[in-house]
Short mmCIF file of all heavy atoms in Angstrom, two decimals:
data_model
loop_
_atom_site.label_atom_id
_atom_site.label_comp_id
_atom_site.label_asym_id
_atom_site.label_seq_id
_atom_site.Cartn_x
_atom_site.Cartn_y
_atom_site.Cartn_z
N GLN Y 317 -6.23 -35.59 -4.78
CA GLN Y 317 -5.92 -36.89 -5.32
C GLN Y 317 -6.92 -37.95 -5.04
O GLN Y 317 -7.36 -37.93 -3.86
CB GLN Y 317 -4.48 -37.39 -4.61
CG GLN Y 317 -3.33 -36.44 -4.96
CD GLN Y 317 -2.99 -36.37 -6.45
OE1 GLN Y 317 -3.13 -37.35 -7.18
NE2 GLN Y 317 -2.65 -35.13 -6.89
N ASN Y 318 -7.26 -38.60 -6.06
CA ASN Y 318 -8.21 -39.75 -5.90
C ASN Y 318 -9.54 -39.45 -5.09
O ASN Y 318 -10.03 -40.14 -4.23
CB ASN Y 318 -7.59 -40.94 -5.30
CG ASN Y 318 -6.14 -41.35 -5.95
OD1 ASN Y 318 -5.19 -41.18 -5.36
ND2 ASN Y 318 -6.28 -41.76 -7.17
N ALA Y 319 -10.03 -38.13 -5.43
CA ALA Y 319 -11.26 -37.65 -4.67
C ALA Y 319 -12.44 -38.16 -5.32
O ALA Y 319 -12.66 -38.30 -6.64
CB ALA Y 319 -11.22 -36.22 -4.76
N ARG Y 320 -13.48 -38.53 -4.49
CA ARG Y 320 -14.72 -39.09 -5.04
C ARG Y 320 -15.84 -38.09 -4.47
O ARG Y 320 -15.83 -37.63 -3.30
CB ARG Y 320 -14.98 -40.45 -4.49
CG ARG Y 320 -14.11 -41.46 -5.09
CD ARG Y 320 -14.36 -42.84 -4.54
NE ARG Y 320 -13.62 -43.86 -5.33
CZ ARG Y 320 -14.02 -44.50 -6.34
NH1 ARG Y 320 -15.26 -44.20 -6.74
NH2 ARG Y 320 -13.25 -45.40 -7.03
N LEU Y 321 -16.84 -37.87 -5.28
CA LEU Y 321 -18.00 -37.01 -4.89
C LEU Y 321 -19.28 -37.82 -5.24
O LEU Y 321 -19.54 -38.06 -6.46
CB LEU Y 321 -18.00 -35.71 -5.54
CG LEU Y 321 -18.94 -34.64 -5.18
CD1 LEU Y 321 -18.40 -33.25 -5.51
CD2 LEU Y 321 -20.36 -34.85 -5.78
N ALA Y 322 -20.06 -38.10 -4.30
CA ALA Y 322 -21.40 -38.70 -4.57
C ALA Y 322 -22.24 -38.26 -3.43
O ALA Y 322 -21.98 -38.20 -2.23
CB ALA Y 322 -21.33 -40.18 -4.67
N PRO Y 323 -23.61 -37.98 -3.76
CA PRO Y 323 -24.17 -38.06 -5.17
C PRO Y 323 -23.69 -36.84 -6.01
O PRO Y 323 -23.36 -35.82 -5.38
CB PRO Y 323 -25.63 -38.04 -4.88
CG PRO Y 323 -25.78 -37.24 -3.62
CD PRO Y 323 -24.60 -37.61 -2.76
N LYS Y 324 -23.67 -37.04 -7.27
CA LYS Y 324 -23.39 -35.91 -8.11
C LYS Y 324 -24.56 -34.94 -8.28
O LYS Y 324 -25.67 -35.23 -7.88
CB LYS Y 324 -23.14 -36.47 -9.71
CG LYS Y 324 -22.09 -37.52 -9.74
CD LYS Y 324 -20.76 -36.91 -9.45
CE LYS Y 324 -19.62 -38.06 -9.79
NZ LYS Y 324 -18.28 -37.53 -9.33
N PRO Y 325 -24.33 -33.74 -8.85
CA PRO Y 325 -25.54 -32.86 -9.10
C PRO Y 325 -26.52 -33.41 -9.99
O PRO Y 325 -26.11 -34.20 -10.91
CB PRO Y 325 -24.86 -31.66 -9.65
CG PRO Y 325 -23.39 -31.78 -9.34
CD PRO Y 325 -22.99 -33.22 -9.25
N ILE Y 326 -27.77 -33.00 -9.83
CA ILE Y 326 -28.76 -33.46 -10.70
C ILE Y 326 -28.53 -32.82 -12.10
O ILE Y 326 -28.63 -33.57 -13.08
CB ILE Y 326 -30.19 -32.97 -10.22
CG1 ILE Y 326 -30.56 -33.70 -9.09
CG2 ILE Y 326 -31.23 -33.04 -11.31
CD1 ILE Y 326 -31.83 -33.20 -8.30
N GLN Y 327 -28.10 -31.60 -12.17
CA GLN Y 327 -27.86 -30.96 -13.56
C GLN Y 327 -26.63 -31.69 -14.18
O GLN Y 327 -25.52 -31.77 -13.53
CB GLN Y 327 -27.48 -29.49 -13.38
CG GLN Y 327 -28.72 -28.72 -12.83
CD GLN Y 327 -28.42 -27.31 -12.63
OE1 GLN Y 327 -28.32 -26.52 -13.50
NE2 GLN Y 327 -28.21 -26.87 -11.35
N ARG Y 328 -26.68 -31.90 -15.42
CA ARG Y 328 -25.59 -32.62 -16.13
C ARG Y 328 -25.26 -31.83 -17.38
O ARG Y 328 -26.16 -31.35 -18.02
CB ARG Y 328 -25.96 -33.99 -16.50
CG ARG Y 328 -26.24 -35.00 -15.35
CD ARG Y 328 -24.98 -35.15 -14.41
NE ARG Y 328 -25.22 -35.85 -13.23
CZ ARG Y 328 -25.17 -37.14 -13.06
NH1 ARG Y 328 -24.79 -37.87 -14.22
NH2 ARG Y 328 -25.30 -37.82 -11.94
N PRO Y 329 -23.99 -31.69 -17.74
CA PRO Y 329 -22.86 -32.19 -17.10
C PRO Y 329 -22.49 -31.46 -15.78
O PRO Y 329 -21.79 -32.00 -14.92
CB PRO Y 329 -21.72 -32.10 -18.09
CG PRO Y 329 -22.12 -30.90 -18.90
CD PRO Y 329 -23.60 -30.92 -19.03
N ASN Y 330 -23.02 -30.30 -15.62
CA ASN Y 330 -22.76 -29.49 -14.41
C ASN Y 330 -23.83 -28.44 -14.22
O ASN Y 330 -24.39 -27.90 -15.21
CB ASN Y 330 -21.39 -28.90 -14.51
CG ASN Y 330 -21.17 -27.95 -15.60
OD1 ASN Y 330 -20.55 -28.43 -16.70
ND2 ASN Y 330 -21.53 -26.66 -15.52
N PRO Y 331 -23.96 -27.97 -12.92
CA PRO Y 331 -24.73 -26.71 -12.77
C PRO Y 331 -24.05 -25.58 -13.53
O PRO Y 331 -22.97 -25.44 -13.74
CB PRO Y 331 -24.62 -26.46 -11.23
CG PRO Y 331 -24.38 -27.83 -10.65
CD PRO Y 331 -23.43 -28.55 -11.69
N ILE Y 332 -25.03 -24.69 -14.15
CA ILE Y 332 -24.49 -23.68 -14.91
C ILE Y 332 -23.50 -22.75 -14.17
O ILE Y 332 -23.71 -22.32 -13.07
CB ILE Y 332 -25.70 -22.67 -15.45
CG1 ILE Y 332 -26.56 -23.58 -16.24
CG2 ILE Y 332 -25.25 -21.49 -16.14
CD1 ILE Y 332 -27.94 -22.87 -16.57
N LEU Y 333 -22.35 -22.42 -14.80
CA LEU Y 333 -21.45 -21.57 -14.32
C LEU Y 333 -21.40 -20.28 -15.08
O LEU Y 333 -21.08 -20.10 -16.14
CB LEU Y 333 -19.90 -22.10 -14.55
CG LEU Y 333 -19.65 -23.43 -13.73
CD1 LEU Y 333 -18.30 -24.15 -14.14
CD2 LEU Y 333 -19.74 -23.29 -12.19
N TYR Y 334 -21.86 -19.17 -14.28
CA TYR Y 334 -21.96 -17.84 -14.78
C TYR Y 334 -20.71 -17.19 -14.30
O TYR Y 334 -20.19 -17.50 -13.21
CB TYR Y 334 -23.11 -17.14 -14.22
CG TYR Y 334 -24.49 -17.59 -14.54
CD1 TYR Y 334 -25.11 -18.57 -13.79
CD2 TYR Y 334 -25.29 -16.91 -15.62
CE1 TYR Y 334 -26.39 -19.02 -14.05
CE2 TYR Y 334 -26.44 -17.36 -15.84
CZ TYR Y 334 -27.08 -18.45 -15.12
OH TYR Y 334 -28.40 -18.87 -15.38
N ALA Y 335 -20.26 -16.19 -15.09
CA ALA Y 335 -19.09 -15.35 -14.66
C ALA Y 335 -19.12 -14.05 -15.40
O ALA Y 335 -19.51 -13.96 -16.50
CB ALA Y 335 -17.68 -16.09 -14.82
N GLY Y 336 -18.47 -13.01 -14.74
CA GLY Y 336 -18.35 -11.62 -15.44
C GLY Y 336 -16.92 -11.33 -15.40
O GLY Y 336 -16.13 -11.74 -14.46
N GLY Y 337 -16.39 -10.58 -16.26
CA GLY Y 337 -15.01 -10.07 -16.27
C GLY Y 337 -14.85 -9.16 -17.55
O GLY Y 337 -15.48 -9.44 -18.59
N GLU Y 338 -14.11 -8.13 -17.38
CA GLU Y 338 -13.80 -7.08 -18.50
C GLU Y 338 -12.38 -7.19 -18.95
O GLU Y 338 -12.16 -6.61 -20.05
CB GLU Y 338 -14.29 -5.74 -18.01
CG GLU Y 338 -15.83 -5.76 -17.54
CD GLU Y 338 -16.28 -4.30 -17.38
OE1 GLU Y 338 -15.35 -3.36 -17.29
OE2 GLU Y 338 -17.43 -4.19 -16.98
N SER Y 339 -11.50 -7.77 -18.22
CA SER Y 339 -10.10 -7.64 -18.63
C SER Y 339 -9.92 -8.79 -19.66
O SER Y 339 -10.57 -9.82 -19.63
CB SER Y 339 -9.09 -7.86 -17.37
OG SER Y 339 -9.37 -9.16 -16.91
N PRO Y 340 -8.91 -8.70 -20.52
CA PRO Y 340 -8.58 -9.87 -21.37
C PRO Y 340 -8.30 -11.15 -20.63
O PRO Y 340 -8.72 -12.21 -21.06
CB PRO Y 340 -7.29 -9.30 -22.09
CG PRO Y 340 -7.50 -7.89 -22.11
CD PRO Y 340 -8.08 -7.57 -20.78
N ARG Y 341 -7.65 -11.09 -19.46
CA ARG Y 341 -7.47 -12.24 -18.72
C ARG Y 341 -8.68 -12.91 -18.16
O ARG Y 341 -8.92 -14.05 -18.13
CB ARG Y 341 -6.41 -11.94 -17.58
CG ARG Y 341 -6.08 -13.19 -16.73
CD ARG Y 341 -5.29 -14.22 -17.58
NE ARG Y 341 -5.10 -15.49 -16.83
CZ ARG Y 341 -6.01 -16.54 -16.76
NH1 ARG Y 341 -7.10 -16.34 -17.36
NH2 ARG Y 341 -5.66 -17.57 -16.02
N GLY Y 342 -9.65 -12.09 -17.73
CA GLY Y 342 -10.77 -12.47 -17.11
C GLY Y 342 -11.72 -13.17 -18.18
O GLY Y 342 -12.23 -14.23 -18.03
N LYS Y 343 -11.80 -12.53 -19.37
CA LYS Y 343 -12.53 -13.04 -20.51
C LYS Y 343 -12.08 -14.51 -20.92
O LYS Y 343 -12.79 -15.20 -21.26
CB LYS Y 343 -12.50 -12.01 -21.61
CG LYS Y 343 -13.34 -10.84 -21.35
CD LYS Y 343 -13.27 -9.98 -22.57
CE LYS Y 343 -14.09 -8.69 -22.31
NZ LYS Y 343 -13.93 -7.72 -23.50
N LYS Y 344 -10.71 -14.64 -20.83
CA LYS Y 344 -10.05 -15.87 -21.27
C LYS Y 344 -10.67 -17.01 -20.26
O LYS Y 344 -11.01 -18.08 -20.75
CB LYS Y 344 -8.64 -15.79 -21.24
CG LYS Y 344 -7.87 -17.17 -21.70
CD LYS Y 344 -6.36 -17.04 -21.61
CE LYS Y 344 -5.84 -18.37 -22.16
NZ LYS Y 344 -6.29 -19.59 -21.50
N SER Y 345 -10.63 -16.79 -19.02
CA SER Y 345 -11.17 -17.79 -18.00
C SER Y 345 -12.60 -18.05 -18.27
O SER Y 345 -13.00 -19.27 -18.25
CB SER Y 345 -11.04 -17.24 -16.63
OG SER Y 345 -9.67 -17.23 -16.22
N ILE Y 346 -13.42 -17.14 -18.61
CA ILE Y 346 -14.81 -17.26 -18.95
C ILE Y 346 -15.03 -18.17 -20.11
O ILE Y 346 -15.76 -19.07 -20.25
CB ILE Y 346 -15.56 -16.00 -18.95
CG1 ILE Y 346 -15.50 -15.25 -17.60
CG2 ILE Y 346 -17.05 -16.22 -19.40
CD1 ILE Y 346 -15.84 -13.78 -17.67
N VAL Y 347 -14.30 -17.71 -21.22
CA VAL Y 347 -14.34 -18.48 -22.51
C VAL Y 347 -14.02 -19.93 -22.34
O VAL Y 347 -14.58 -20.84 -22.85
CB VAL Y 347 -13.50 -17.71 -23.52
CG1 VAL Y 347 -13.30 -18.56 -24.73
CG2 VAL Y 347 -14.16 -16.45 -24.01
N ASP Y 348 -12.98 -20.15 -21.52
CA ASP Y 348 -12.46 -21.52 -21.41
C ASP Y 348 -13.28 -22.39 -20.57
O ASP Y 348 -13.32 -23.67 -20.81
CB ASP Y 348 -10.98 -21.44 -20.83
CG ASP Y 348 -9.98 -20.96 -21.84
OD1 ASP Y 348 -10.25 -20.84 -22.97
OD2 ASP Y 348 -8.87 -20.59 -21.44
N ALA Y 349 -13.86 -21.88 -19.49
CA ALA Y 349 -14.43 -22.76 -18.48
C ALA Y 349 -15.97 -22.46 -18.05
O ALA Y 349 -16.44 -23.40 -17.36
CB ALA Y 349 -13.59 -22.68 -17.20
N CYS Y 350 -16.52 -21.37 -18.47
CA CYS Y 350 -17.84 -21.04 -17.93
C CYS Y 350 -18.93 -21.27 -19.06
O CYS Y 350 -18.54 -21.47 -20.25
CB CYS Y 350 -17.84 -19.66 -17.36
SG CYS Y 350 -16.74 -19.50 -15.99
N ASP Y 351 -20.16 -21.13 -18.58
CA ASP Y 351 -21.26 -21.45 -19.51
C ASP Y 351 -22.04 -20.26 -19.85
O ASP Y 351 -22.85 -20.20 -20.89
CB ASP Y 351 -22.22 -22.40 -18.82
CG ASP Y 351 -21.50 -23.67 -18.32
OD1 ASP Y 351 -20.92 -24.32 -19.03
OD2 ASP Y 351 -21.61 -23.95 -17.04
N ALA Y 352 -21.99 -19.05 -19.08
CA ALA Y 352 -22.77 -17.95 -19.27
C ALA Y 352 -22.05 -16.64 -18.89
O ALA Y 352 -21.18 -16.78 -17.99
CB ALA Y 352 -24.05 -18.06 -18.60
N TYR Y 353 -22.35 -15.58 -19.45
CA TYR Y 353 -21.57 -14.33 -19.30
C TYR Y 353 -22.39 -13.27 -18.59
O TYR Y 353 -23.50 -12.98 -19.16
CB TYR Y 353 -21.01 -13.77 -20.56
CG TYR Y 353 -20.14 -12.58 -20.39
CD1 TYR Y 353 -19.00 -12.56 -19.59
CD2 TYR Y 353 -20.28 -11.49 -21.25
CE1 TYR Y 353 -18.18 -11.52 -19.41
CE2 TYR Y 353 -19.39 -10.34 -21.24
CZ TYR Y 353 -18.40 -10.41 -20.36
OH TYR Y 353 -17.57 -9.33 -20.23
N VAL Y 354 -22.09 -12.72 -17.49
CA VAL Y 354 -22.86 -11.71 -16.83
C VAL Y 354 -22.08 -10.39 -16.65
O VAL Y 354 -20.85 -10.43 -16.45
CB VAL Y 354 -23.34 -12.15 -15.46
CG1 VAL Y 354 -24.44 -13.06 -15.49
CG2 VAL Y 354 -22.24 -12.69 -14.57
N MET Y 355 -22.77 -9.21 -16.99
CA MET Y 355 -22.11 -8.04 -17.08
C MET Y 355 -22.62 -6.93 -16.13
O MET Y 355 -23.75 -7.00 -15.70
CB MET Y 355 -22.37 -7.53 -18.51
CG MET Y 355 -21.75 -8.38 -19.56
SD MET Y 355 -22.38 -7.92 -21.26
CE MET Y 355 -23.93 -8.93 -21.31
N HIS Y 356 -21.71 -6.10 -15.72
CA HIS Y 356 -22.30 -4.89 -15.03
C HIS Y 356 -23.08 -4.04 -15.98
O HIS Y 356 -23.09 -4.28 -17.17
CB HIS Y 356 -21.10 -3.94 -14.57
CG HIS Y 356 -20.12 -4.53 -13.51
ND1 HIS Y 356 -20.65 -4.80 -12.29
CD2 HIS Y 356 -18.91 -4.83 -13.52
CE1 HIS Y 356 -19.66 -5.29 -11.47
NE2 HIS Y 356 -18.54 -5.27 -12.30
N GLY Y 357 -23.91 -3.19 -15.44
CA GLY Y 357 -24.82 -2.44 -16.16
C GLY Y 357 -24.10 -1.54 -17.18
O GLY Y 357 -23.02 -0.92 -17.05
N GLY Y 358 -24.70 -1.43 -18.37
CA GLY Y 358 -24.02 -0.72 -19.55
C GLY Y 358 -25.19 -0.27 -20.52
O GLY Y 358 -26.37 -0.66 -20.32
#
Side-chain angles (χ1 to χ4, degrees):
Q317 300 301 321
N318 309 113
R320 291 177 172 269
L321 189 157
K324 302 292 188 190
I326 289 175
Q327 297 175 77
R328 298 299 175 88
N330 57 263
I332 297 171
L333 297 172
Y334 297 83
E338 299 185 357
S339 68
R341 182 64 185 86
K343 289 178 180 178
K344 183 180 185 305
S345 288
I346 296 165
V347 166
D348 289 345
C350 295
D351 307 304
Y353 187 48
V354 288
M355 297 164 275
H356 290 299

